[in-house]
Amino acid sequence: MSADGEARSHWFDDEAGPVVRPYAMTRGRTSHAAQHRLDLIAVVVTEPHVDDAETDNALSPEHVDIVELCRRTPQSVAELAAELDLPIGVVRVLVGDLVDEEYVHVNRPVPPAELPDESILRDVINGLRAL
């Protein structure tokens, strides 16, 4: 085998699967400006004013799939990744694109630090019982 053949076989692996496709879907981007808001349990909801995403030629088939999935039922980022069989990072970039274009919005869960303390809730319940 020539040096050229060795180099080619070194960089190609049949078992690796589609490595380039997800990277191509995001046009080489690995993050999005809105990505900090897109944790795994963030819920993606299609905007009510969106009629038919398929008519927008600027959207990829994956963008359209996300809009349609979230139209039926709001989906978490993790659910979208599982349903579309795409890496989480790719889904975050695609959802960020859709947020920018106002096709979807994201509902973030309340961070644990902002939830009321359990002891305060107990005190309120005890105070109400005392009335």
Side-chain angles (χ1 to χ4, degrees):
M1 183 179 276
S2 68
D4 183 42
E6 288 175 15
R8 209 173 316 152
S9 66
H10 174 73
W11 290 105
F12 184 77
D13 184 359
D14 286 330
E15 296 176 14
V19 177
V20 176
R21 188 167 170 357
Y23 186 72
M25 269 186 255
T26 62
R27 290 178 244 133
R29 297 171 295 145
T30 57
S31 65
H32 190 275
Q35 190 165 355
H36 68 279
R37 300 180 311 158
L38 299 175
D39 57 3
L40 293 176
I41 59 174
V43 177
V44 181
V45 182
T46 299
E47 293 288 356
H49 70 276
V50 174
D51 292 327
D52 188 12
E54 287 184 22
T55 60
D56 188 342
N57 293 332
L59 295 180
S60 71
E62 293 78 18
H63 284 115
V64 173
D65 289 344
I66 291 170
V67 171
E68 293 306 317
L69 282 170
C70 296
R71 181 188 314 276
R72 285 185 246 137
T73 307
Q75 305 276 322
S76 71
V77 173
E79 289 171 323
L80 288 170
E83 183 72 29
L84 299 171
D85 195 26
L86 293 173
I88 292 289
V90 170
V91 172
R92 285 180 172 157
V93 172
L94 296 175
V95 168
D97 293 344
L98 292 169
V99 168
D100 287 350
E101 297 299 320
E102 299 180 355
Y103 279 93
V104 300
H105 67 272
V106 177
N107 294 329
R108 290 177 289 166
V110 177
E114 293 179 17
L115 293 173
D117 186 18
E118 186 177 331
S119 64
I120 293 172
L121 293 175
R122 282 196 183 124
D123 290 344
V124 169
I125 291 171
N126 291 336
L128 290 171
R129 285 184 183 152
L131 294 176

